[in-house]
Amino acid sequence: MAESLYDLYYAVFNDKSRGFWNITASFPRYGTLDSKEFFESLFKPSLDNNNSGNAYHFIFEFFESIGKESVFWYLKDTQTQLSMLDSNHTLSALLLGMVVKDKLGIKIQNLPTTYDDEEQNFAYYWTLTCICHDIARQIEEESIVSFKRGHDFKYITSIQDFYKAFFIEEDDEQFTTVLKNQRGFSKKADLITNYFRFRLKTAESNDARMDHGIAGAILFYAAMMKDFKKAKDKGTHNQDKSIYYCGRRFAPEYEKNILFIAETIAEHNMWVPTTPTARKLYRCFHLDELITRKPIAYESTENGKNTSFLFLLGLVDAMEPIKGVMKRTDKKTVNEGDRAIDILKELKFSFTDESPKRVEITCPKHPEYLTSSWERISDGDVWLDIFSNITGIEITFNNSEINFTEESSKRIEITCPEHPEYLTSSWKRISGGDTWLDMSSNIAGIEVTFNNSRENT
């Protein structure tokens, strides 16, 4: 049964066992709003009129709830304050991941253990990872402008330069340095380092930038380790090698656990090449592992490690609709918070948890929301073991020379239930007509199927 994304999110958010109400209890006006008003307020502008909105305030409350306010302030001081759009995207992706995991019965099998309860343990790692996966988005955006104009960030030509620029000088706070010293992870550290350099050096294609996934992983790891150092220096050390400090317990494997999150954040934005020219460029930067990498599946392993957690982050990052729609919206004429809520209410999701697992998305009132989201969703096909298809196309004749009621507009609707890939192949040609004919074409349905290459073997 298809349900609105709004209802799916609210059910997760309102589930007291998830702990969201504990995180957000100190919000302004919390006591004056009913539960749905409060939920909707999280996607709207904040009362203090900062550009990040209430979702950013939610992120701070999460860090405070786990006793890591210092981590939040460190990240904010390093130019990582998220825009309202990125904050809403982050909160939406956080909830979508929990919905997808529950509805499709995805087993996350590779998590470190901080909590004995499996669901509590997943919630901790998922929330911390998802909240931080885009923290360096602003740095990436500023670096694009900086490289084009030839100032500020132009002096950063390697990952070591990045460490120096952000005053991460201690080896045990440097994400890739620590990763390289872990048994079996030397190649992964080299891959991340080379990919960061690759993104910095692609000025020839006018696309030079600091990759926000790797930059975010570096800053996240440094912030968490600075916090941990205080605990090691001032906390109580126990026989089981755990540490108690300021009412918090740091697990014996804390450093490895944080490294796992940082690695996931770093990899979520590492793309595989899809053309001969791109593959040639990747080889120049020693990125052969990405050239030969098999798609990440929800039940598969890479170098002996289960990849289901990375799969879930990559999937929801691609499917999350607020960012896909709002990036194509004129922000001068649209209330960003109200539009985000409207997107969540209008999009309908249905799930098939049998093999092959499948997500179907429709939006009868606003098919243009799907059209705006399609590019991000189909990008997931490149590196995730999924296959996304368009399941319906709607073409409307605008006839701009006359005023007509909605009922009088002529329309063609195309479906192909047995072979949705036929519509997917036709979409580019059909939508091309919008550029010179007085018509508008929109996607009326999207289907995302999990191939799971291990099952197909």
Side-chain angles (χ1 to χ4, degrees):
M1 181 183 72
E3 299 178 75
S4 74
L5 206 51
Y6 179 98
D7 290 338
L8 290 166
Y9 282 7
Y10 181 69
V12 169
F13 181 80
N14 203 38
D15 181 350
K16 298 298 189 289
S17 68
R18 309 272 184 172
F20 286 117
W21 286 90
N22 296 330
I23 293 173
T24 56
S26 64
F27 265 64
R29 297 194 301 126
Y30 166 77
T32 65
L33 301 174
D34 66 31
S35 57
K36 284 203 171 182
E37 287 178 320
F38 179 55
F39 170 69
E40 290 187 13
S41 75
L42 294 179
F43 293 93
K44 295 184 177 181
S46 59
L47 294 176
D48 59 8
N49 294 319
N50 72 52
N51 292 327
S52 295
N54 276 331
Y56 189 71
H57 188 57
F58 170 90
I59 293 172
F60 168 74
E61 295 297 337
F62 168 74
F63 279 109
E64 188 174 54
S65 74
I66 60 174
K68 296 190 181 299
E69 305 96 312
S70 63
V71 172
F72 175 88
W73 293 119
Y74 171 82
L75 293 173
K76 186 174 181 180
D77 288 343
T78 53
Q79 304 175 1
T80 55
Q81 179 159 335
L82 297 175
S83 67
M84 183 171 171
L85 174 59
D86 286 325
S87 298
N88 281 348
H89 161 71
T90 295
L91 178 56
S92 178
L94 170 66
L95 296 170
L96 182 59
M98 293 182 170
V99 169
V100 170
K101 176 182 175 293
D102 291 349
K103 292 292 185 179
L104 295 180
I106 296 177
K107 301 295 183 182
I108 306 298
Q109 300 171 334
N110 61 326
L111 286 181
T113 302
T114 295
Y115 296 97
D116 293 333
D117 180 80
E118 185 176 322
E119 285 304 310
Q120 185 182 13
N121 196 58
F122 166 76
Y124 172 78
Y125 281 96
W126 175 248
T127 305
L128 194 51
T129 304
C130 197
I131 274 180
C132 293
H133 82 283
D134 272 353
I135 57 171
R137 172 66 68 180
Q138 182 176 331
I139 291 175
E140 179 174 305
E141 295 297 327
E142 289 182 1
S143 73
I144 295 171
V145 176
S146 179
F147 288 136
K148 288 179 179 177
R149 293 179 179 174
H151 58 72
D152 295 337
F153 289 133
K154 71 175 183 177
Y155 300 107
I156 297 178
T157 60
S158 69
I159 209 163
Q160 289 301 322
D161 290 340
F162 185 88
Y163 286 132
K164 291 177 183 177
F166 287 86
F167 305 101
I168 306 171
E169 298 174 354
E170 302 295 329
D171 287 350
D172 59 353
E173 294 178 2
Q174 295 181 359
F175 162 55
T176 51
T177 302
V178 175
L179 186 66
K180 192 173 181 68
N181 291 332
Q182 296 291 311
R183 184 177 180 181
F185 283 91
S186 178
K187 289 184 178 180
K188 179 58 65 69
D190 289 341
L191 176 67
I192 292 171
T193 300
N194 291 337
Y195 191 81
F196 190 77
R197 188 167 63 93
F198 159 69
R199 296 301 299 273
L200 288 172
K201 295 288 187 178
T202 48
E204 294 80 3
S205 61
N206 204 32
D207 194 37
R209 65 186 64 203
M210 283 189 284
D211 182 80
H212 75 269
I214 298 174
I218 290 171
L219 295 173
F220 166 80
Y221 188 79
M224 296 296 281
M225 290 309 297
K226 288 178 186 294
D227 182 62
F228 184 52
K229 277 186 174 181
K230 293 179 184 177
K232 287 198 296 184
D233 292 342
K234 301 178 181 180
T236 301
H237 293 248
N238 302 296
Q239 288 186 344
D240 66 353
K241 297 184 178 181
S242 64
I243 300 172
Y244 278 92
Y245 174 65
C246 292
R248 294 176 288 155
R249 178 182 181 271
F250 293 80
E253 299 292 314
Y254 182 83
E255 292 167 278
K256 288 186 178 180
N257 298 348
I258 298 306
L259 194 64
F260 167 83
I261 296 175
E263 186 187 348
T264 304
I265 293 171
E267 288 196 77
H268 94 276
N269 199 51
M270 293 174 63
W271 295 90
V272 298
T274 57
T275 66
T277 301
R279 285 189 283 272
K280 183 178 180 179
L281 185 60
Y282 271 51
R283 288 191 183 95
C284 291
F285 286 89
H286 307 290
L287 297 172
D288 300 75
E289 184 177 328
L290 292 179
I291 298 173
T292 58
R293 171 182 273 181
K294 293 182 179 179
I296 303 295
Y298 74 92
E299 283 186 353
S300 66
T301 57
E302 182 181 61
N303 298 326
K305 186 184 75 173
N306 188 282
T307 58
S308 55
F309 194 71
L310 176 60
F311 173 86
L312 184 63
L313 179 61
L315 178 72
V316 301
D317 197 32
M319 287 176 53
E320 192 287 307
I322 292 177
K323 194 164 194 173
V325 175
M326 295 297 292
K327 285 187 78 170
R328 293 162 177 80
T329 297
D330 183 355
K331 295 181 182 179
K332 294 179 180 179
T333 60
V334 175
N335 183 308
E336 200 169 339
D338 290 341
R339 188 62 176 274
I341 295 299
D342 186 61
I343 292 167
L344 299 181
K345 287 183 175 180
E346 295 300 334
L347 283 166
K348 311 296 181 185
F349 275 57
S350 59
F351 301 87
T352 302
D353 63 357
E354 301 171 353
S355 184
K357 297 181 185 295
R358 182 179 294 112
V359 181
E360 296 180 44
I361 314 169
T362 57
C363 192
K365 289 186 179 180
H366 292 282
E368 69 272 14
Y369 290 174
L370 296 183
T371 307
S372 298
S373 300
W374 168 247
E375 183 178 345
R376 285 180 61 85
I377 293 174
S378 58
D379 278 348
D381 294 8
V382 174
W383 70 287
L384 299 173
D385 195 18
I386 63 173
F387 191 71
S388 52
N389 268 309
I390 296 168
T391 56
I393 296 174
E394 178 185 277
I395 303 170
T396 303
F397 301 165
N398 299 329
N399 198 357
S400 56
E401 292 184 1
I402 62 172
N403 286 322
F404 51 80
T405 63
E406 185 175 349
E407 289 75 16
S408 67
S409 59
K410 298 182 185 296
R411 182 180 291 110
I412 299 173
E413 296 181 20
I414 312 171
T415 59
C416 190
E418 294 296 320
H419 292 283
E421 67 273 15
Y422 293 172
L423 296 184
T424 307
S425 300
S426 303
W427 167 248
K428 189 173 182 179
R429 287 181 61 84
I430 293 174
S431 60
D434 295 1
T435 61
W436 68 287
L437 298 172
D438 194 17
M439 65 177 224
S440 59
S441 54
N442 275 303
I443 295 169
I446 297 173
E447 175 184 88
V448 181
T449 303
F450 298 9
N451 298 332
N452 201 352
S453 55
R454 192 176 74 168
E455 289 184 349
N456 294 337
T457 301

